[in-house]
PDB file of all heavy atoms in Angstrom:
ATOM      1  N   LYS W1162       9.712 -15.603  83.117  1.00  0.00           N
ATOM      2  CA  LYS W1162      10.794 -15.270  82.203  1.00  0.00           C
ATOM      3  C   LYS W1162      10.516 -15.937  80.852  1.00  0.00           C
ATOM      4  O   LYS W1162      10.895 -17.114  80.655  1.00  0.00           O
ATOM      5  CB  LYS W1162      12.156 -15.757  82.789  1.00  0.00           C
ATOM      6  CG  LYS W1162      13.346 -15.259  81.951  1.00  0.00           C
ATOM      7  CD  LYS W1162      14.663 -15.762  82.588  1.00  0.00           C
ATOM      8  CE  LYS W1162      15.830 -15.316  81.717  1.00  0.00           C
ATOM      9  NZ  LYS W1162      17.137 -15.797  82.334  1.00  0.00           N
ATOM     10  N   VAL W1163       9.846 -15.184  80.011  1.00  0.00           N
ATOM     11  CA  VAL W1163       9.547 -15.719  78.673  1.00  0.00           C
ATOM     12  C   VAL W1163      10.557 -15.110  77.691  1.00  0.00           C
ATOM     13  O   VAL W1163      10.732 -13.884  77.637  1.00  0.00           O
ATOM     14  CB  VAL W1163       8.114 -15.347  78.249  1.00  0.00           C
ATOM     15  CG1 VAL W1163       7.799 -15.764  76.845  1.00  0.00           C
ATOM     16  CG2 VAL W1163       7.107 -15.911  79.231  1.00  0.00           C
ATOM     17  N   GLU W1164      11.217 -16.034  76.944  1.00  0.00           N
ATOM     18  CA  GLU W1164      12.235 -15.546  75.980  1.00  0.00           C
ATOM     19  C   GLU W1164      11.965 -16.200  74.598  1.00  0.00           C
ATOM     20  O   GLU W1164      11.463 -17.262  74.503  1.00  0.00           O
ATOM     21  CB  GLU W1164      13.613 -15.963  76.459  1.00  0.00           C
ATOM     22  CG  GLU W1164      14.033 -15.326  77.739  1.00  0.00           C
ATOM     23  CD  GLU W1164      15.410 -15.795  78.201  1.00  0.00           C
ATOM     24  OE1 GLU W1164      15.573 -17.053  78.346  1.00  0.00           O
ATOM     25  OE2 GLU W1164      16.295 -14.950  78.429  1.00  0.00           O
ATOM     26  N   VAL W1165      12.307 -15.401  73.582  1.00  0.00           N
ATOM     27  CA  VAL W1165      12.129 -15.859  72.181  1.00  0.00           C
ATOM     28  C   VAL W1165      13.464 -15.642  71.451  1.00  0.00           C
ATOM     29  O   VAL W1165      14.079 -14.535  71.547  1.00  0.00           O
ATOM     30  CB  VAL W1165      11.034 -15.118  71.487  1.00  0.00           C
ATOM     31  CG1 VAL W1165      10.904 -15.529  69.998  1.00  0.00           C
ATOM     32  CG2 VAL W1165       9.694 -15.309  72.231  1.00  0.00           C
ATOM     33  N   SER W1166      13.875 -16.681  70.765  1.00  0.00           N
ATOM     34  CA  SER W1166      15.100 -16.546  69.881  1.00  0.00           C
ATOM     35  C   SER W1166      14.739 -17.077  68.515  1.00  0.00           C
ATOM     36  O   SER W1166      13.992 -18.069  68.393  1.00  0.00           O
ATOM     37  CB  SER W1166      16.296 -17.285  70.500  1.00  0.00           C
ATOM     38  OG  SER W1166      16.069 -18.662  70.500  1.00  0.00           O
ATOM     39  N   ILE W1167      15.319 -16.430  67.477  1.00  0.00           N
ATOM     40  CA  ILE W1167      15.069 -16.862  66.084  1.00  0.00           C
ATOM     41  C   ILE W1167      16.406 -16.965  65.400  1.00  0.00           C
ATOM     42  O   ILE W1167      17.221 -16.023  65.462  1.00  0.00           O
ATOM     43  CB  ILE W1167      14.150 -15.877  65.378  1.00  0.00           C
ATOM     44  CG1 ILE W1167      12.832 -15.716  66.119  1.00  0.00           C
ATOM     45  CG2 ILE W1167      13.881 -16.310  63.914  1.00  0.00           C
ATOM     46  CD1 ILE W1167      11.899 -14.644  65.531  1.00  0.00           C
ATOM     47  N   VAL W1168      16.620 -18.077  64.689  1.00  0.00           N
ATOM     48  CA  VAL W1168      17.851 -18.315  63.927  1.00  0.00           C
ATOM     49  C   VAL W1168      17.514 -18.352  62.440  1.00  0.00           C
ATOM     50  O   VAL W1168      16.614 -19.086  62.012  1.00  0.00           O
ATOM     51  CB  VAL W1168      18.518 -19.624  64.368  1.00  0.00           C
ATOM     52  CG1 VAL W1168      19.814 -19.823  63.564  1.00  0.00           C
ATOM     53  CG2 VAL W1168      18.844 -19.603  65.895  1.00  0.00           C
ATOM     54  N   SER W1169      18.231 -17.533  61.678  1.00  0.00           N
ATOM     55  CA  SER W1169      17.996 -17.451  60.237  1.00  0.00           C
ATOM     56  C   SER W1169      18.520 -18.663  59.491  1.00  0.00           C
ATOM     57  O   SER W1169      19.277 -19.492  60.109  1.00  0.00           O
ATOM     58  CB  SER W1169      18.689 -16.179  59.680  1.00  0.00           C
ATOM     59  OG  SER W1169      20.059 -16.334  59.619  1.00  0.00           O
ATOM     60  N   PRO W1170      18.212 -18.818  58.210  1.00  0.00           N
ATOM     61  CA  PRO W1170      18.722 -19.987  57.453  1.00  0.00           C
ATOM     62  C   PRO W1170      20.227 -20.028  57.395  1.00  0.00           C
ATOM     63  O   PRO W1170      20.798 -21.106  57.253  1.00  0.00           O
ATOM     64  CB  PRO W1170      18.120 -19.767  56.070  1.00  0.00           C
ATOM     65  CG  PRO W1170      16.892 -18.962  56.245  1.00  0.00           C
ATOM     66  CD  PRO W1170      17.207 -18.046  57.408  1.00  0.00           C
ATOM     67  N   SER W1171      20.870 -18.909  57.531  1.00  0.00           N
ATOM     68  CA  SER W1171      22.332 -18.840  57.471  1.00  0.00           C
ATOM     69  C   SER W1171      22.927 -19.020  58.869  1.00  0.00           C
ATOM     70  O   SER W1171      24.167 -19.017  58.992  1.00  0.00           O
ATOM     71  CB  SER W1171      22.814 -17.527  56.828  1.00  0.00           C
ATOM     72  OG  SER W1171      22.394 -16.422  57.649  1.00  0.00           O
ATOM     73  N   GLY W1172      22.124 -19.206  59.899  1.00  0.00           N
ATOM     74  CA  GLY W1172      22.641 -19.429  61.258  1.00  0.00           C
ATOM     75  C   GLY W1172      22.763 -18.175  62.051  1.00  0.00           C
ATOM     76  O   GLY W1172      23.263 -18.274  63.231  1.00  0.00           O
ATOM     77  N   ARG W1173      22.374 -17.069  61.587  1.00  0.00           N
ATOM     78  CA  ARG W1173      22.482 -15.814  62.327  1.00  0.00           C
ATOM     79  C   ARG W1173      21.240 -15.639  63.204  1.00  0.00           C
ATOM     80  O   ARG W1173      20.120 -15.971  62.816  1.00  0.00           O
ATOM     81  CB  ARG W1173      22.607 -14.606  61.392  1.00  0.00           C
ATOM     82  CG  ARG W1173      23.869 -14.601  60.571  1.00  0.00           C
ATOM     83  CD  ARG W1173      24.037 -13.290  59.763  1.00  0.00           C
ATOM     84  NE  ARG W1173      22.922 -13.099  58.826  1.00  0.00           N
ATOM     85  CZ  ARG W1173      21.965 -12.186  58.933  1.00  0.00           C
ATOM     86  NH1 ARG W1173      21.951 -11.384  60.020  1.00  0.00           N
ATOM     87  NH2 ARG W1173      21.009 -12.074  58.039  1.00  0.00           N
ATOM     88  N   HIS W1174      21.435 -15.070  64.387  1.00  0.00           N
ATOM     89  CA  HIS W1174      20.365 -14.778  65.306  1.00  0.00           C
ATOM     90  C   HIS W1174      19.684 -13.435  64.931  1.00  0.00           C
ATOM     91  O   HIS W1174      20.358 -12.456  64.655  1.00  0.00           O
ATOM     92  CB  HIS W1174      20.853 -14.705  66.786  1.00  0.00           C
ATOM     93  CG  HIS W1174      21.100 -16.049  67.360  1.00  0.00           C
ATOM     94  ND1 HIS W1174      20.136 -16.779  68.042  1.00  0.00           N
ATOM     95  CD2 HIS W1174      22.264 -16.843  67.393  1.00  0.00           C
ATOM     96  CE1 HIS W1174      20.643 -17.939  68.461  1.00  0.00           C
ATOM     97  NE2 HIS W1174      21.955 -17.990  68.064  1.00  0.00           N
ATOM     98  N   VAL W1175      18.375 -13.524  64.858  1.00  0.00           N
ATOM     99  CA  VAL W1175      17.647 -12.329  64.484  1.00  0.00           C
ATOM    100  C   VAL W1175      17.558 -11.402  65.686  1.00  0.00           C
ATOM    101  O   VAL W1175      17.285 -11.875  66.831  1.00  0.00           O
ATOM    102  CB  VAL W1175      16.195 -12.714  64.023  1.00  0.00           C
ATOM    103  CG1 VAL W1175      15.374 -11.455  63.778  1.00  0.00           C
ATOM    104  CG2 VAL W1175      16.275 -13.552  62.779  1.00  0.00           C
ATOM    105  N   GLU W1176      17.836 -10.154  65.455  1.00  0.00           N
ATOM    106  CA  GLU W1176      17.825  -9.192  66.558  1.00  0.00           C
ATOM    107  C   GLU W1176      16.499  -8.386  66.518  1.00  0.00           C
ATOM    108  O   GLU W1176      15.739  -8.440  65.567  1.00  0.00           O
ATOM    109  CB  GLU W1176      19.019  -8.199  66.405  1.00  0.00           C
ATOM    110  CG  GLU W1176      20.368  -8.871  66.520  1.00  0.00           C
ATOM    111  CD  GLU W1176      21.513  -7.940  66.319  1.00  0.00           C
ATOM    112  OE1 GLU W1176      21.234  -6.727  66.033  1.00  0.00           O
ATOM    113  OE2 GLU W1176      22.657  -8.360  66.517  1.00  0.00           O
ATOM    114  N   GLY W1177      16.291  -7.676  67.645  1.00  0.00           N
ATOM    115  CA  GLY W1177      15.091  -6.800  67.699  1.00  0.00           C
ATOM    116  C   GLY W1177      13.819  -7.515  68.105  1.00  0.00           C
ATOM    117  O   GLY W1177      12.716  -6.949  67.909  1.00  0.00           O
ATOM    118  N   ILE W1178      13.922  -8.705  68.706  1.00  0.00           N
ATOM    119  CA  ILE W1178      12.711  -9.393  69.173  1.00  0.00           C
ATOM    120  C   ILE W1178      12.265  -8.740  70.473  1.00  0.00           C
ATOM    121  O   ILE W1178      13.041  -8.563  71.380  1.00  0.00           O
ATOM    122  CB  ILE W1178      13.007 -10.918  69.379  1.00  0.00           C
ATOM    123  CG1 ILE W1178      13.511 -11.513  68.059  1.00  0.00           C
ATOM    124  CG2 ILE W1178      11.738 -11.628  69.833  1.00  0.00           C
ATOM    125  CD1 ILE W1178      14.037 -12.929  68.216  1.00  0.00           C
ATOM    126  N   LYS W1179      10.977  -8.444  70.533  1.00  0.00           N
ATOM    127  CA  LYS W1179      10.413  -7.785  71.714  1.00  0.00           C
ATOM    128  C   LYS W1179       9.352  -8.654  72.334  1.00  0.00           C
ATOM    129  O   LYS W1179       8.440  -9.101  71.660  1.00  0.00           O
ATOM    130  CB  LYS W1179       9.866  -6.431  71.325  1.00  0.00           C
ATOM    131  CG  LYS W1179       9.360  -5.583  72.501  1.00  0.00           C
ATOM    132  CD  LYS W1179       8.850  -4.243  72.083  1.00  0.00           C
ATOM    133  CE  LYS W1179       8.390  -3.414  73.255  1.00  0.00           C
ATOM    134  NZ  LYS W1179       7.852  -2.061  72.842  1.00  0.00           N
ATOM    135  N   VAL W1180       9.533  -8.880  73.652  1.00  0.00           N
ATOM    136  CA  VAL W1180       8.535  -9.672  74.418  1.00  0.00           C
ATOM    137  C   VAL W1180       7.947  -8.741  75.472  1.00  0.00           C
ATOM    138  O   VAL W1180       8.711  -8.146  76.282  1.00  0.00           O
ATOM    139  CB  VAL W1180       9.182 -10.939  75.041  1.00  0.00           C
ATOM    140  CG1 VAL W1180       8.116 -11.688  75.860  1.00  0.00           C
ATOM    141  CG2 VAL W1180       9.827 -11.834  74.000  1.00  0.00           C
ATOM    142  N   THR W1181       6.635  -8.616  75.486  1.00  0.00           N
ATOM    143  CA  THR W1181       5.952  -7.729  76.399  1.00  0.00           C
ATOM    144  C   THR W1181       5.084  -8.516  77.351  1.00  0.00           C
ATOM    145  O   THR W1181       4.213  -9.284  76.913  1.00  0.00           O
ATOM    146  CB  THR W1181       5.111  -6.714  75.697  1.00  0.00           C
ATOM    147  OG1 THR W1181       5.935  -5.950  74.737  1.00  0.00           O
ATOM    148  CG2 THR W1181       4.433  -5.709  76.626  1.00  0.00           C
TER     149      THR W1181
END
Side-chain angles (χ1 to χ4, degrees):
K1162 186 181 180 181
V1163 177
E1164 295 178 306
V1165 177
S1166 67
I1167 303 175
V1168 179
S1169 73
S1171 63
R1173 295 186 300 109
H1174 283 270
V1175 175
E1176 298 180 354
I1178 303 171
K1179 184 178 181 181
V1180 180
T1181 302

